[in-house]
Amino acid sequence: MNLTVLIERDEHSEMLVGSVAAVRSAYTQGASTAEVPANMREVLEMLAEEGMFDAACGFTLSVEYAATAA
């Protein structure tokens, strides 16, 4: 299953914020565009452990940048 991480820049903190629209509660943040997808992978693994996301078949992440992430 391929999931898309949307990365945006938070206007107040200047941190990058990532979300996966297809998975409820899949949000994270990071200081770099490399850190956000890595953090999201950890979030998705935790959600799968809690039974909130079915990752039995595995997943891959693709990244999409909002205009605010630039």
Side-chain angles (χ1 to χ4, degrees), residues 13-64:
S13 70
E14 293 298 313
M15 291 289 289
L16 294 172
V17 179
S19 62
V20 174
V23 180
R24 187 176 54 143
S25 301
Y27 300 97
T28 193
Q29 63 183 15
S32 70
T33 55
E35 187 177 2
V36 175
N39 291 348
M40 182 57 74
R41 181 167 296 285
E42 291 179 17
V43 167
L44 292 169
E45 289 169 356
M46 287 188 295
L47 291 172
E49 287 175 10
E50 296 295 321
M52 298 175 65
F53 167 64
D54 183 11
C57 295
F59 62 90
T60 58
L61 292 177
S62 59
V63 178
E64 184 176 305

